[in-house]
Amino acid sequence: MRKKIVAGNWKMNMTFLEAEKLVARVAEELETRKLKNTVVVLCPPFPYLELATDIACLSNFSVGAQNVFPADSGAFTGEVSPAMLESMEVEYCIIGHSERRKYFGESNEFLARKLDALLKFNIIPIFCCGELLDERNSKNHFVVVEKQLKESLFHLKKEHVEKVVIAYEPVWAIGTGVNATPAQAQEMHAFIRGLIAKKYSKKLSEEITILYGGSCNAKNAAELFSNPDVDGGLIGGASLKAEDFLGIVDSF
C-alpha cells in the first residue's frame, strides 16, 4: 500500500510565537486521530525547524525543510546543508518548488544535485514538478513535466528513486484559488506513474507516492484524494490554519 502524505508548506510565513502555537495545536489534535497509512509533515521556515522537531519527537507528525543547498558544508553564506538537516532529525525536504524555480532560477540540473545531496543523508525529497499556464494552454504540460523528471530524477538508481516523493503542482493553480479538476490531477498523476514504470518498473510506479499541490483545501481535498493515483497533498496556504490543515488530513 502506498504511503499517503499530507505535507504543509508554510513558505515564508509565521512569527515565532505564531509558529509555536500552530505546531502545538496540530500536535495536540493529531493525538486524537488514528492516521492509519497517512503521514503528516510540517515544513516550516528554517528558523522554526528546531521548534518543530522538538515537538514532533513527542507527537505523530514528521518535519520537513523547504529547501537545501547541495553541499555538505562550505562558504555558502545563507544556505543550509543536508548534513545540518540530518543532524536536527529533519526527515523530509521540499525541492523544485515552482517558486524556487521562478524566483531563484533553479534549473533541472541543479535540482538533480539537490536530490543526490538529500539522499546521501537519508532525507526524503519531496520533488516538485509542474507546468505554467501557457504550457497547459498550449498542451505542452506533459512534455514539460516529463522533461523535469528526466533531467532531475531519472539519473537515480531504482533503490534511490523509491525513496523520493513526487509532488505535481500545476503552477497556474498555486495561490490562485483555482485548482486543477480532479480529472486533470488524476490524468497527470497517472502520466507521471507511467513514466516511472517505463524508466524503472511497474512495481516501483505503483509504490511511489505522488502528491497534488495546487490550491488544495479542506473543501476539495476528499474529491482530489479519491483519485486512484493521488496519494495526498503538498499544502500551501491552507496549512497556516490548524483547522484547515487538519480538515485536509481528515479527508482520507
Side-chain angles (χ1 to χ4, degrees):
M1 182 179 293
R2 290 196 297 271
K3 184 187 298 182
K4 306 293 185 180
I5 297 176
V6 178
N9 176 18
W10 293 9
K11 307 187 181 184
M12 196 179 71
N13 292 294
M14 296 281 173
T15 64
F16 182 83
L17 291 178
E18 290 170 341
E20 186 176 40
K21 182 178 179 181
L22 179 56
V23 174
R25 174 69 189 285
V26 171
E28 179 183 10
E29 290 294 331
L30 289 178
E31 290 298 322
T32 67
R33 289 165 167 79
K34 294 182 179 180
L35 296 179
K36 299 179 182 178
N37 191 43
T38 303
V39 175
V40 175
V41 183
L42 298 184
C43 302
F46 284 133
Y48 310 148
L49 285 176
E50 185 174 7
L51 162 69
T53 54
D54 283 350
I55 296 176
C57 70
L58 300 174
S59 187
N60 56 345
F61 68 89
S62 298
V63 176
Q66 296 179 18
N67 187 35
V68 73
F69 189 81
D72 295 357
S73 62
F76 303 104
T77 300
E79 295 297 325
V80 173
S81 74
M84 294 174 181
L85 299 180
E86 190 266 346
S87 72
M88 296 178 66
E89 300 183 341
V90 172
E91 298 178 61
Y92 292 80
C93 183
I94 300 168
I95 59 171
H97 193 282
S98 60
E99 291 158 2
R100 297 294 312 179
R101 295 175 188 265
K102 177 180 179 180
Y103 299 123
F104 301 97
E106 295 190 352
S107 66
N108 292 334
E109 182 275 333
F110 188 57
L111 296 176
R113 290 171 54 199
K114 288 190 176 188
L115 276 168
D116 293 341
L118 289 172
L119 292 168
K120 177 182 176 181
F121 286 89
N122 295 311
I123 298 171
I124 301 170
I126 300 177
F127 176 75
C128 300
C129 58
E131 79 281 2
L132 301 171
L133 181 59
D134 62 338
E135 293 166 338
R136 163 68 64 164
N137 289 339
S138 62
K139 302 188 184 304
N140 284 321
H141 45 298
F142 293 127
V143 173
V144 170
V145 171
E146 183 172 2
K147 178 179 173 66
Q148 291 170 342
L149 291 170
K150 284 184 174 180
E151 295 184 359
S152 297
L153 191 69
F154 282 3
H155 69 287
L156 296 175
K157 295 181 179 179
K158 176 180 178 295
E159 60 266 29
H160 294 145
V161 166
E162 62 189 11
K163 299 176 183 178
V164 177
V165 173
I166 297 173
Y168 166 61
E169 45 164 17
V171 182
W172 43 274
I174 298 175
T176 63
V178 177
N179 61 290
T181 66
Q184 287 173 321
Q186 168 58 25
E187 180 183 43
M188 183 59 82
H189 282 232
F191 174 74
I192 292 170
R193 216 174 287 286
L195 293 175
I196 299 292
K198 184 178 179 180
K199 171 65 178 179
Y200 296 99
S201 70
K202 188 173 189 299
K203 182 175 183 295
L204 177 58
S205 75
E206 292 173 346
E207 294 173 348
I208 196 165
T209 296
I210 306 178
L211 309 180
Y212 173 76
S215 295
C216 182
N217 56 56
K219 293 181 179 180
N220 61 28
E223 187 176 13
L224 285 164
F225 296 171
S226 67
N227 286 291
D229 290 302
V230 179
D231 304 316
L234 178 60
I235 314 302
S239 69
L240 300 177
K241 294 183 178 179
E243 294 80 4
D244 294 345
F245 185 64
L246 292 163
I248 297 172
V249 173
D250 293 338
S251 297
F252 281 112

